[in-house]
Amino acid sequence: MVSLSHASPGEDLSEQLRRLRADCARCAGLCCVALPFFATSGFPADKDAGTPCHHLDSAFRCRVHAELRQRGLTGCAVFDCFGAGQRITRDTFAGRTWCDDPDRAQDVFAAFNVARQLHEVLWYLVEALNLPAAAELHAELRRVCTRVDALVGDTPEALSATDVASVRQEVGDLLSRVSELVRDRHGRRCDHRGADLAGARLRGAPLRGATFRGAVLIAADLRDADLRTVDFLGADLRDADLRGADLSGALFLTQPQVNAARGDTATRLPAHLLRPAHWCGPGNTRHGSSGNNNQSAR
């Protein structure tokens, strides 16, 4: 895998992050096997870690993938491994799957569980490396990004033994400094870190430069809100209403967060994120420009 800390000349953020997007065609269905499921969280049924989902076929494909939302399987529709699945399958285990070598299946699952968390960290670091306002931190960000990338590329045993909490703490502190630098440029506003804002009425609110890091925004009304350069790292956006909201330049916003929220064709997203297909369905369409060229997520 090419180091994510050094982009090729002319390579934009979307292209860099392409390596951190799930590619199910190059994976062995790891998210459908390695992880535990709970029906109450929008998955097909309760299942233990290491047990294949009953919808997974022999080619490691989901039999109901095209019907996930219609079936109410939002947990599956929202999930993203940030590209860890194909990396563990193709690189760490050289294409050998948990079916090919059942004796090593638990090693595969353990490595995947750590890698998906580290790949999420890499997503944030790559994004930070592309923020001009954080230029003074780019050298430090590059060093940390290289080190985290190397952890994922280590042996399965070393990867599984990684202290993920320690890595997250270190990177989280660094990203806080990045966030402050960027938001200072636009007049830092409200600090809602860790706040419980479930169902909050924030329609049309001028929130540019605020931080919602780790906040609970479940079913919050953020319609038409100005969310430019808002820090969303770790925020829970399940069913948050983002119709007409402007999230252009939002910080540390991920595809799973966007997939879990509600939006429409007028919602403005950062250019490197995809507009979920369900945002453009019946009852979600509004007149107006999308403001970017986001494609529909699969």
Side-chain angles (χ1 to χ4, degrees):
M1 186 172 186
V2 178
S3 176
L4 292 162
S5 59
H6 295 86
S8 301
E11 187 178 55
D12 65 15
L13 177 59
S14 295
E15 180 60 23
Q16 293 172 53
L17 291 178
R18 181 184 61 78
R19 304 171 199 151
L20 292 171
R21 294 189 186 279
D23 184 351
C24 299
R26 300 173 61 224
C27 180
L30 291 182
C31 64
C32 303
V33 184
L35 307 177
F37 283 179
F38 302 98
T40 54
S41 299
F43 291 99
D46 293 346
K47 83 167 191 66
D48 295 329
T51 301
C53 173
H54 62 269
H55 289 307
L56 189 69
D57 67 20
S58 59
F60 308 122
R61 298 293 178 270
C62 175
R63 297 185 182 92
V64 297
H65 187 269
E67 308 165 11
L68 292 176
R69 288 196 176 272
Q70 296 93 309
R71 290 171 173 258
L73 303 180
T74 54
C76 297
V78 167
F79 181 83
D80 193 304
C81 73
F82 294 94
Q86 64 260 28
R87 188 170 183 183
I88 292 300
T89 300
R90 298 298 173 185
D91 297 347
T92 307
F93 289 93
R96 290 191 61 78
T97 73
W98 51 276
C99 283
D100 296 329
D101 192 354
D103 290 339
R104 295 213 68 188
Q106 293 305 317
D107 296 333
V108 175
F109 302 153
F112 171 69
N113 274 317
V114 173
R116 68 186 178 88
Q117 297 178 72
L118 295 182
H119 265 223
E120 181 180 359
V121 168
L122 286 170
W123 176 284
Y124 298 135
L125 289 168
V126 171
E127 180 183 335
L129 278 165
N130 282 270
L131 296 170
E136 66 186 69
L137 295 175
H138 281 182
E140 186 174 354
L141 285 163
R142 195 169 289 111
R143 286 194 297 271
V144 174
C145 188
T146 299
R147 182 157 51 83
V148 175
D149 194 32
L151 288 173
V152 184
D154 209 334
T155 64
E157 294 76 18
L159 175 58
S160 299
T162 299
D163 184 348
V164 176
S166 177
V167 174
R168 282 189 175 276
Q169 181 65 53
E170 178 188 1
V171 173
D173 291 344
L174 179 56
L175 295 179
S176 288
R177 293 160 59 196
V178 170
S179 176
E180 290 170 3
L181 286 171
V182 174
R183 291 185 296 114
D184 276 346
R185 293 284 187 93
H186 301 282
R188 261 193 279 172
R189 290 181 181 270
C190 314
D191 187 338
H192 295 299
R193 283 177 291 185
D196 185 353
L197 295 169
R201 298 179 180 179
L202 299 168
R203 183 172 186 175
L207 295 166
R208 185 176 187 179
T211 177
F212 286 106
R213 180 174 292 223
V216 176
L217 289 161
I218 298 174
D221 185 355
L222 290 162
R223 286 174 291 172
D224 303 311
D226 184 354
L227 301 170
R228 291 175 292 172
T229 61
V230 168
D231 186 343
F232 281 106
L233 195 150
D236 190 339
L237 292 174
R238 284 177 292 170
D239 290 324
D241 195 341
L242 300 175
R243 288 177 292 173
D246 188 351
L247 294 99
S248 54
L251 300 173
F252 311 129
L253 183 67
T254 65
Q255 196 65 53
Q257 287 173 303
V258 170
N259 291 348
R262 297 173 57 199
D264 61 11
T265 57
T267 305
R268 295 170 66 92
L269 289 172
H272 58 275
L273 295 178
L274 306 177
R275 187 178 306 280
H278 70 280
W279 284 19
C280 304
N284 260 353
T285 302
R286 289 166 44 132
H287 296 292
S289 170
S290 66
N292 59 26
N293 295 316
N294 296 119
Q295 305 172 36
S296 293
R298 57 180 178 78

